[in-house]
Amino acid sequence: MAQGQMAATSGKIPFRYGSRRRIQRVGFIPFQEGAVAPPLQLPNVGYLAGILLTWRGNITGTGVSPRVGGPWNLLRRIRVNLNLGSASIIDVSGYGLHLLNLLNGNGFQNHVQYAGTSRWHYFVPVSANLGENFSTGLILLQDPQLRATVEIAFNTLSAVFNGTGLGTASGAGVEVHYVYWEVPDLEKVSQPPLVLHRVVEDTMPVSQAGEVPYLVPRQGILLQMLHVLVLNGAYSDSWERAFIRLNRVDTIAEATPDVLNALQILAQDGYDSNNSLPLHVIHWDFFSAGTKAGSGDLRDALDTEAVTTTESVVVIPSNATFGTGNNFIHTVRRILQPIQP
């Protein structure tokens, strides 16, 4: 049932019309090469919807340029943690988050102030989006017992950039803003749905060509999924087909690289800029029932707990080049998990 319908039956104003969006600066996380920075606590104010991260500071050296995956993977890991449980609601690499932003039409490489060696941006979606589904996944920060933090693990400069004598300008690091909605009078305004929206990434080794199945964890409702293929230590487009299979026998989606790219173009019909994903990314979008990617209802979403197994299979050709111990599939998932009141 839609939120407006629930509000109508309860006699309360829908949350959409009873609150106001705000954007505030939280702080700055200084760069520490190859280290995990101390967590930055978010204010105990409002319903958390999203976090905007901005890298500020020149990468210095001779012949400096981003490698494939750079500059985004200078943030080796981005986590948003709550003290209500051990699991992070956001746990993803910087590059994985950039690819997810691209899939949803947010190509920050098109930002007017983008510079691959001095300034770039990431958007961390805590709620499903900032548009029609803005209230799905909001986190109430107002509880004084709640502690929400942003934690960043930095990569080494040589892993992300070409060049010699690599370093950073003084004061380089990540500026953090958060997007939130005011907490209205909940006696008069309906509260957002009790749902967690999570973005999580994991890594699976690949040992041989042929069908490589990724067993999707039975965790909530799957909205989107990205696989990043790494063979012989480098991002690789050596895949020829991919499919989604339920209960080991029911193939519900199958596509080649060109078909997946065409589907992404169709889903991004409402966007003006080019947000195409690179060919080493295998992407499945079950959350584009609206007019744009990452919007609409759950028409196409997969309830992973309603079936025994959900497999995402990538088919790697026999002529693909494998290395030793350096072949992986990194998987980014967006999921919804209901919260028990």
Side-chain angles (χ1 to χ4, degrees):
M1 183 182 291
Q3 186 187 3
Q5 292 175 305
M6 289 189 293
T9 57
S10 67
K12 293 184 178 182
I13 300 170
F15 186 83
R16 173 179 293 273
Y17 307 116
S19 183
R20 180 186 299 277
R21 190 181 76 172
R22 292 179 177 265
I23 303 170
Q24 299 290 338
R25 184 181 185 275
V26 178
F28 190 82
I29 301 176
F31 176 63
Q32 302 176 48
E33 184 172 9
V36 179
L40 178 66
Q41 184 171 352
L42 297 172
N44 288 97
V45 177
Y47 281 99
L48 175 64
I51 299 167
L52 187 65
L53 305 175
T54 303
W55 169 269
R56 296 183 184 274
N58 289 325
I59 309 299
T60 60
T62 302
V64 178
S65 64
R67 298 179 184 272
V68 178
W72 320 101
N73 55 2
L74 187 57
L75 306 194
R76 182 169 52 85
R77 208 72 179 182
I78 301 165
R79 294 186 175 93
V80 178
N81 300 315
L82 303 177
N83 62 344
L84 299 180
S86 58
S88 303
I89 57 170
I90 306 293
D91 186 357
V92 63
S93 66
Y95 186 49
L97 182 59
H98 167 65
L99 295 173
L100 188 65
N101 285 167
L102 271 180
L103 179 62
N104 290 287
N106 302 315
F108 286 115
Q109 77 284 355
N110 299 317
H111 192 292
V112 67
Q113 291 184 301
Y114 169 80
T117 58
S118 62
R119 183 178 296 191
W120 56 92
H121 303 79
Y122 312 79
F123 178 68
V124 182
V126 176
S127 64
N129 56 45
L130 298 182
E132 61 183 302
N133 309 106
F134 80 99
S135 64
T136 301
L138 291 178
I139 301 293
L140 180 60
L141 299 177
Q142 209 89 329
D143 186 342
Q145 302 302 316
L146 179 70
R147 186 172 185 268
T149 59
V150 178
E151 180 184 284
I152 292 178
F154 291 104
N155 217 331
T156 60
L157 293 171
S158 60
V160 182
F161 297 96
N162 300 303
T164 58
L166 294 172
T168 60
S170 177
V174 176
E175 189 170 42
V176 181
H177 287 75
Y178 86 123
V179 182
Y180 68 96
W181 263 262
E182 297 172 344
V183 177
D185 182 353
L186 296 180
E187 293 294 323
K188 300 177 181 178
V189 178
S190 59
Q191 67 174 333
L194 294 176
V195 175
L196 275 183
H197 170 253
R198 301 181 63 203
V199 178
V200 292
E201 180 174 349
D202 56 45
T203 298
M204 177 183 75
V206 178
S207 58
Q208 61 186 18
E211 293 187 2
V212 179
Y214 170 79
L215 184 61
V216 179
R218 297 184 78 234
Q219 292 180 329
I221 298 171
L222 181 64
L223 302 179
Q224 292 173 323
M225 182 164 57
L226 300 168
H227 300 302
V228 181
L229 181 62
V230 176
L231 297 180
N232 198 24
Y235 297 117
S236 174
D237 60 3
S238 292
W239 64 282
E240 57 187 17
R241 189 166 55 91
F243 56 93
I244 300 291
R245 183 169 58 198
L246 304 181
N247 297 329
R248 310 288 185 185
V249 294
D250 184 12
T251 299
I252 63 168
E254 181 175 9
T256 55
D258 58 320
V259 169
L260 277 186
N261 184 259
L263 289 172
Q264 187 195 7
I265 291 172
L266 288 172
Q268 298 197 359
D269 179 62
Y271 299 108
D272 296 326
S273 56
N274 178 17
N275 298 300
S276 295
L277 289 159
L279 292 178
H280 58 259
V281 178
I282 302 99
H283 53 90
W284 293 107
D285 186 359
F286 307 110
F287 190 38
S288 57
T291 56
K292 296 181 179 181
S295 69
D297 55 29
L298 301 180
R299 180 193 68 190
D300 305 320
L302 292 179
D303 186 348
T304 61
E305 298 176 20
V307 295
T308 304
T309 59
T310 303
E311 294 174 290
S312 180
V313 182
V314 178
V315 182
I316 300 175
S318 58
N319 61 356
T321 301
F322 284 78
T324 302
N326 57 357
N327 313 292
F328 304 99
I329 291 179
H330 305 291
T331 300
V332 179
R333 292 176 294 125
R334 289 183 74 192
I335 59 176
L336 292 179
Q337 292 181 297
I339 302 173
Q340 297 299 325

